[in-house]
Amino acid sequence: MHQQLRGIGVSPGVAFARTVLMRPDFPEVPDRTVRPEEVEGEVQRLRDAVATVVGHLEELGRKVLERAGAEESRIFDAQILMAQDEDFLQSAVVLIRNNLLSAETAYEFKALELRALWSASQSAHLRDRLADLHAIQLRMLNVLLGRPGQEIWSLPDDEQMIVVAHELSPGLTVQLDREHVVGLISEEGTRTSHAAILAHSLGIPAVMGVTGALARIPEGTLVLIDGQAGVITVDPTPVELEEAKVQISRRHRLEFQLESVVALPAETPDGVRVSMMGNVDLPDEIEAAMRSGAEGVGLLRTEFLLTGRASLPTEAEQLSYFKRVSLAFPNSPVIIRSYDIGGDKFPAAFRMPQEANPFLGWRSIRVCLDQPEVFRTQLRAILRAAADRNVQLMLPLVTRVDEVLDTRALVEDERQSLLRDGFRAATDLRVGVMIETPAAVLIADKLAEVSDFFSVGSNDLTQYTLALDRGNARLAERFTSHHPAVVRQLAQVVAAAATRGLPASVCGEMVSEPLSAVLLMGLGFRIFSIAPPSIPLVKWVIRSVPLSAARAAALAALDARGPADVDAALRDAVAPHVDLRLIDPHAALQARGRVVSLPTPPRSS
Ligand code: PEP
Ligand code: MG
């Protein structure tokens, strides 16, 4: 049935395909008992089902290995371990033997018990584990009941789909097959939730915060998704489909134009140079970052190394990943961020406590400093990678000077230990600080004394400044880095860095928004680190808007009363130089159905 739904456009692009609903669509399991003489047969059926499921998971791991790489194929390790968990299986076997239950009834009973236990905790840290549990439970029940399973990874190669889910955790998103998944829709999530950042980095159009999506969008229906405007059209009319095709080809034409700027410097028409680095969250973005002209990696997120794994990555594994990235950018910096777990990232390999407010809890640098053995392994890998490449270390969620000093002491300790062990290690590892909290902004002058560079994490800085959960769809309208309270802090960071001549960059999602990039330029930032798909567009805008216009907008923003004034100042500054319909989600929405003519490309140099 034709209908339009609205949500938050979190990753731009237009796509249409049939839907796959990722709801915990568990089959009805009949309450079946068996005769005593059938009991051992049921136990065997349960064991056989485990073997089949493990076989499927291993097969998937192999497919992922071929398509995506070794690191990503490890995401199934944790599921395999969970499927083979002997304590859990034994408890189901006891039910079969003592209560004469069928294998599926006993398994379902035990799985429900575990899910209830985990869900009742209300703890975000079990979400990724719950997703694994759901996946295994569904596989086991499908096998035991002889139901054909719906397997995203094993769909025919030419089939494409739009995935609809309640909530996409980072752990789940990372498992999606980018060749087949052309769009993502979820009921929860916002532009700065980590799953949205991943979707954006992967270049998959996505709309989040769509209330009731699972109930309102039928399985297998054709759906049109506009990841910029945040609009979903269920069962589109032929006219709407044609219009979408026009939009897609317009986007292709824009991309074609953008390709012409990939090899050109990000320089304003009045000659000011901005350095454009890439954010890399997953290994297959290394290629994407290179293709889009990134001048190094300004944020290498390392949580991916832990995703879905049952054990922590070794020093050698981390070193090989860091080397791979630095070899891809032999003449540019690669900035590795130490583990930023907690908040909404809870890798299975880490024993994280349950907390009432994980974003205000045991997160990021706090975890690393409290678990020095884990931190030291990562630091050793970074020190070794930095021995002959421009590899640097960046610390997330810093709120105190001693966090930087303590890290530096560990770095020095591990450097000595590496040398004693006969390894080469960087002599002077550069250590930078992410400015992600008002505390860090307020003591930025002191942090500057002990840091080599700053990088603003605007996602967290906005969340902590405005006291707005970055992942809460209900608050998404209010969540904006254009709030004057954020803008003023950004200016303070530039000033604090300048007093000691430190480089200051921005690596949060804000910088991938062309209008925000203009604001940041006007405020004085000259290094941007951006999700690879957005690099060309931001560069194109930088090459079109003179710094004088950006400065005027920034001055107005610093004096603004609210985000609307900041938005207006930016639009006024940019409009004479760039067709706003191409870069502004709201303007794009108004332009739907009209063919937007492209402006002439900025001058080449
Ligand atoms: C940020 O907070 O802006 C940032 C870049 O870190 P993350 O999104 O990984 O928390
Ligand atoms: Mg952050």
Side-chain angles (χ1 to χ4, degrees):
M1 190 192 43
H2 179 272
Q3 59 170 327
Q4 267 198 344
L5 310 178
R6 274 178 200 279
I8 309 153
V10 302
S11 175
V14 173
F16 54 87
R18 302 213 167 266
T19 51
V20 170
L21 267 48
M22 286 181 74
R23 77 166 126 230
D25 171 28
F26 294 106
E28 277 295 314
V29 180
D31 272 341
R32 193 165 67 83
T33 48
V34 292
R35 292 192 300 275
E37 62 274 25
E38 290 170 333
V39 159
E40 289 315 309
E42 286 304 291
V43 171
Q44 192 52 47
R45 229 161 51 76
L46 182 74
R47 298 276 174 201
D48 291 348
V50 172
T52 307
V53 165
V54 168
H56 286 167
L57 291 168
E58 284 170 347
E59 171 65 20
L60 288 177
R62 275 193 292 278
K63 279 193 179 175
V64 181
L65 179 69
E66 280 162 28
R67 289 185 188 170
E71 290 91 350
E72 279 158 311
S73 73
R74 291 202 195 93
I75 58 184
F76 295 103
D77 290 0
Q79 286 193 11
I80 291 174
L81 278 182
M82 201 186 264
Q84 291 172 323
D85 187 295
E86 202 39 51
D87 287 347
F88 179 82
L89 291 173
Q90 264 309 326
S91 66
V93 167
V94 168
L95 268 189
I96 298 175
R97 291 203 173 118
N98 292 359
N99 299 51
L100 302 182
L101 295 184
S102 71
E104 57 272 13
T105 312
Y107 190 88
E108 160 90 337
F109 189 86
K110 282 288 153 195
L112 282 178
E113 214 173 66
L114 193 56
R115 276 176 57 197
L117 197 72
W118 287 3
S119 312
S121 81
Q122 291 295 326
S123 156
H125 99 278
L126 286 172
R127 273 191 209 151
D128 269 6
R129 300 238 71 198
L130 264 178
D132 283 337
L133 180 63
H134 282 162
I136 292 161
Q137 186 184 357
L138 191 54
R139 280 178 195 286
M140 281 294 290
L141 293 178
N142 282 341
V143 171
L144 286 167
L145 294 166
R147 260 180 31 136
Q150 176 190 51
E151 182 55 76
I152 288 182
W153 278 96
S154 58
L155 281 175
D157 275 355
D158 55 352
E159 213 162 296
Q160 298 198 315
M161 75 199 88
I162 289 177
V163 169
V164 187
H166 173 64
E167 183 172 20
L168 287 156
S169 68
L172 203 63
T173 311
V174 92
Q175 298 181 33
L176 297 174
D177 176 353
R178 351 254 192 263
E179 275 174 36
H180 297 145
V181 178
V182 296
L184 293 172
I185 298 169
S186 68
E187 296 180 330
E188 297 290 333
T190 61
R191 193 151 201 283
T192 50
S193 53
H194 283 103
I197 293 173
L198 270 178
H200 186 200
S201 304
L202 298 168
I204 305 176
V207 180
M208 296 189 169
V210 187
T211 316
L214 280 170
R216 293 158 78 191
I217 306 175
E219 174 94 51
T221 350
L222 189 62
V223 156
L224 178 61
I225 169 173
D226 182 335
Q228 177 138 323
V231 175
I232 295 155
T233 311
V234 181
D235 202 5
T237 62
V239 174
E240 285 168 330
L241 272 182
E242 276 316 304
E243 197 184 296
K245 285 179 191 158
V246 170
Q247 264 186 291
I248 291 172
S249 76
R250 185 192 307 152
R251 198 176 159 83
H252 281 161
R253 275 188 294 146
L254 176 61
E255 273 161 15
F256 185 70
Q257 290 223 353
L258 294 180
E259 266 175 31
S260 67
V261 301
V262 163
L264 299 175
E267 191 178 303
T268 63
D270 43 359
V272 177
R273 181 81 164 78
V274 174
S275 174
M276 304 284 281
M277 304 175 83
N279 288 354
V280 171
D281 307 345
L282 301 175
D284 52 0
E285 286 168 72
I286 303 169
E287 264 284 313
M290 288 163 74
R291 272 199 316 272
S292 46
E295 301 166 86
V297 177
L299 168 62
L300 183 74
R301 289 187 169 96
T302 55
E303 299 73 55
F304 153 77
L305 288 163
L306 299 159
T307 306
R309 287 184 51 147
S311 59
L312 292 165
T314 62
E315 180 182 322
E317 278 176 274
Q318 296 189 62
L319 176 62
S320 111
Y321 181 49
F322 301 156
K323 274 193 170 160
R324 184 171 149 202
V325 183
S326 60
L327 278 174
F329 294 93
N331 303 312
S332 315
V334 169
I335 297 179
I336 302 175
R337 180 176 73 180
S338 52
Y339 291 137
D340 185 27
I341 58 170
D344 64 351
K345 290 175 276 196
F346 298 97
F350 250 92
R351 298 217 169 276
M352 303 289 290
Q354 293 175 17
E355 295 179 312
N357 291 306
F359 270 116
L360 299 180
W362 201 48
R363 226 199 121 179
S364 309
I365 188 68
R366 301 166 189 172
V367 177
C368 284
L369 288 171
D370 288 355
Q371 305 253 310
E373 65 296 349
V374 176
F375 198 17
R376 280 174 187 272
T377 307
Q378 184 159 63
L379 294 177
R380 285 170 73 91
I382 295 173
L383 276 161
R384 288 174 68 186
D388 33 32
R389 299 266 171 217
N390 188 352
V391 166
Q392 307 177 19
L393 166 67
M394 181 159 80
L395 310 177
L397 208 75
V398 167
T399 54
R400 304 159 59 120
V401 168
D402 56 16
E403 288 164 340
V404 187
L405 296 176
D406 291 351
T407 301
R408 283 194 181 276
L410 286 176
V411 167
E412 183 49 27
D413 213 34
E414 283 313 315
R415 196 180 72 79
Q416 298 288 351
S417 144
L418 280 168
L419 296 180
R420 275 196 308 275
D421 295 347
F423 293 110
R424 286 169 359 87
T427 36
D428 190 15
L429 183 70
R430 286 170 65 81
V431 180
V433 160
M434 285 190 80
I435 305 290
E436 306 197 272
T437 60
V441 176
L442 288 166
I443 59 162
D445 55 336
K446 301 294 171 206
L447 289 171
E449 289 168 9
V450 296
S451 315
D452 293 309
F453 60 91
F454 284 164
S455 187
V456 175
S458 56
N459 308 330
D460 277 318
L461 183 59
T462 306
Q463 150 166 276
Y464 294 123
T465 298
L466 303 181
L468 287 172
D469 176 352
R470 60 191 271 183
N472 187 332
R474 198 172 294 139
L475 304 174
E477 282 287 311
R478 292 183 171 92
F479 189 98
T480 167
S481 306
H482 291 183
H483 191 297
V486 179
V487 177
R488 289 181 185 197
Q489 290 186 75
L490 291 167
Q492 287 179 37
V493 175
V494 174
T499 54
R500 293 192 73 90
L502 297 192
S505 67
V506 181
C507 63
E509 284 298 290
M510 171 183 193
V511 72
S512 64
E513 286 285 352
L515 286 180
S516 311
V518 169
L519 171 63
L520 293 167
M521 229 169 54
L523 288 169
F525 287 97
R526 296 290 176 266
I527 308 169
F528 293 174
S529 192
I530 306 181
S534 293
I535 294 177
L537 182 64
V538 172
K539 190 192 275 189
W540 182 66
V541 170
I542 289 174
R543 290 177 60 81
S544 309
V545 180
L547 183 67
S548 51
R551 278 218 177 107
L555 276 179
L558 286 168
D559 195 37
R561 299 181 78 171
D565 297 346
V566 177
D567 290 347
L570 286 167
R571 288 210 191 94
D572 287 351
V574 170
H577 310 283
V578 173
D579 183 340
L580 281 180
R581 290 170 298 183
L582 291 171
I583 58 166
D584 183 350
H586 305 292
L589 192 63
Q590 285 153 20
R592 274 172 75 80
R594 274 184 284 146
V595 178
V596 179
S597 61
L598 289 166
T600 43
R603 71 196 164 79
S604 48
S605 61

